[in-house]
Each structure stands twice: as C-alpha cells, then as structure tokens.
Amino acid sequence: MRLFPTVLTILLMLAFSAPATAQQGGNWEALGDSDGVAISRMQVEGSSVFAFRGEIVADVHIGKILTVFADGDQRRHWVDRYDEHGTLDRGELSERYWIRFGLPFPIKDRDYVLQTNGRLNQDDQVFIATIESVDDARRPENDCCVRAMTYSTYYRFEALEGERTRMIVEVHTDPKGLLPNWLVNRIQRDWPSKTLGGLIRQAKKGDQPLYGPVADWHTP
C-alpha cells in the first residue's frame, strides 16, 4: 500500500492559520496533559486564536501507526468529527483531497480542500507530513458546509527504541463563519489529544500490518 492514500486527510477538524510549526520552533506555553498527551499553545501574531500542539510517546510500532495514518478506510475510526472525503490527486507521498467534518447542530459543517506532502527520513527514522488548504475548481464551495482554511498543519512521527513512537501534531485553525474565538480555542485545545489518542487506539486494534519502508526502524 502507499503511505499517502490519506496522509492528507489526516487532519483537521477545522483549519489552520499561520506557519507556526515545530519545524520553525516557537514560544510554546505548556498547558498540562490530556489523556497522556502533553498540550501546549502559542499566540500567533495577527491571530485572535491560539496555535495548539500535542506530543506523546506511544508503545506502538511506527509501522502500525503509519499504516493507519495512510489508510483512508480507517480514517473514520480515529479522525475526530470525520464525515466524508474524496481524493482529487495522489502521488507516492502526496495527496490533494476534499474532506468534510460534521459539527453538532446548530453549527454548520466545515469542509476543506487540502494538499498533503510527506517525507521519510531513513537516517533519522522520522516521517513528517505537512498540510495546507488549496483552491481547486473540482471542489468549489457549496451549501453543505462553511469552507474553512488551513494555512499550516504539521505531523511528526519518530521511531524510538523498544518499538515506541514519538508523535507530534501542531494545529492553528480558522474555521471561518460565525464562531466565537473562545469556542474555537476550546475545540483546538482538545483536538491534538483526540487525534493522537484515536490514532494510537486504532493502531493497536486487530492485526495492523507494518508499513514496509519503516518496518525495520525499531531494529537496533
């Protein structure tokens, strides 16, 4: 299977604003743990909502995590608020897709057109995925949803000794529409722990195969 049939959709229940990611550092303020995930936030210049970051070390082989991460059929089992998606273009480590997230009444559903690009670093045993919103005439805005915007989203998976995996996600979202900033901040604060926690639980279910290119990354 290919790693990126869904490495793109993988994200977001809402969308992001500003390139504040682990790649570029930043002044993150620790907020404590949520279900074992260390949560922090950062104020982004010019934005009224915070960027949020989640990090956890999971007792799961990185190959199982990436298998789930890349499998579109499993997305509904771990991506928070996932409703449906459609792939527009797909490469070996990239994908462009449309995704819809269902929100509770009376909040209107959100949708996005996203471009995901990933890379494998065999030397450091790290996989990174970045996601951003794009315009695509094949998926114009429609009455089903409010079209949200993701400017920068970041995932990092690192193989550690003992078949453990360090997982990091960073998100800063502008869901658009008439939502108060306090609600957006509350949703975003919970999103990293729900997303990483869901991915871990799904990776531990059944007999998930190991994604081939990383199958030996935990081998000394």
Side-chain angles (χ1 to χ4, degrees):
M1 69 177 283
R2 291 185 174 181
L3 172 60
F4 248 70
T6 166
V7 117
L8 30 209
T9 150
I10 245 161
L11 270 333
L12 281 131
M13 157 183 159
L14 295 158
F16 312 99
S17 158
T21 70
Q23 308 171 82
Q24 298 167 315
N27 297 318
W28 295 97
E29 174 192 357
L31 298 178
D33 287 1
S34 176
D35 295 326
V37 178
I39 304 297
S40 54
R41 70 180 184 182
M42 180 172 63
Q43 183 68 61
V44 179
E45 184 177 356
S47 174
S48 57
V49 294
F50 289 100
F52 286 90
R53 182 179 194 269
E55 179 175 353
I56 189 173
V57 173
D59 293 324
V60 186
H61 195 293
I62 192 173
K64 291 186 177 184
I65 290 174
L66 292 184
T67 288
V68 174
F69 189 72
D71 184 356
D73 291 338
Q74 298 193 59
R75 187 175 313 132
R76 68 184 68 251
H77 299 303
W78 67 274
V79 177
D80 191 39
R81 301 287 183 178
Y82 170 86
D83 187 272
E84 59 177 323
H85 84 279
T87 297
L88 302 174
D89 296 304
R90 181 178 297 159
E92 187 62 30
L93 289 176
S94 66
E95 188 173 0
R96 177 171 292 193
Y97 64 102
W98 170 83
I99 185 168
R100 174 177 178 169
F101 294 89
L103 299 179
F105 179 84
I107 303 174
K108 197 168 187 179
D109 288 355
R110 261 56 178 175
D111 72 345
Y112 311 82
V113 179
L114 301 175
Q115 176 68 40
T116 295
N117 296 303
R119 68 177 185 272
L120 289 163
N121 186 323
Q122 292 285 354
D123 292 336
D124 294 334
Q125 298 184 330
V126 169
F127 172 77
I128 289 174
T130 57
I131 303 172
E132 63 181 359
S133 284
V134 294
D135 293 323
D136 195 300
R138 292 170 291 182
R139 277 291 186 175
E141 296 183 35
N142 61 57
D143 292 338
C144 80
C145 313
V146 173
R147 177 62 50 87
M149 180 67 67
T150 298
Y151 293 96
S152 177
T153 303
Y154 174 83
Y155 277 94
R156 185 180 190 275
F157 304 98
E158 178 185 1
L160 304 177
E161 293 182 3
E163 295 195 359
R164 298 177 303 144
T165 303
R166 177 176 287 114
M167 307 165 64
I168 295 172
V169 63
E170 295 180 3
V171 37
H172 185 225
T173 299
D174 183 359
K176 303 297 185 179
L178 300 176
L179 290 178
N181 292 335
W182 67 263
L183 177 59
V184 176
N185 282 326
R186 180 174 178 178
I187 292 173
Q188 288 195 82
R189 173 172 177 159
D190 293 340
W191 191 85
S193 61
K194 289 183 177 180
T195 298
L196 295 182
L199 180 54
I200 293 167
R201 287 190 296 273
Q202 187 64 18
K204 289 182 176 180
K205 286 183 178 179
D207 187 19
Q208 299 286 357
L210 301 180
Y211 175 66
V214 306
D216 65 347
W217 275 12
H218 295 289
T219 303

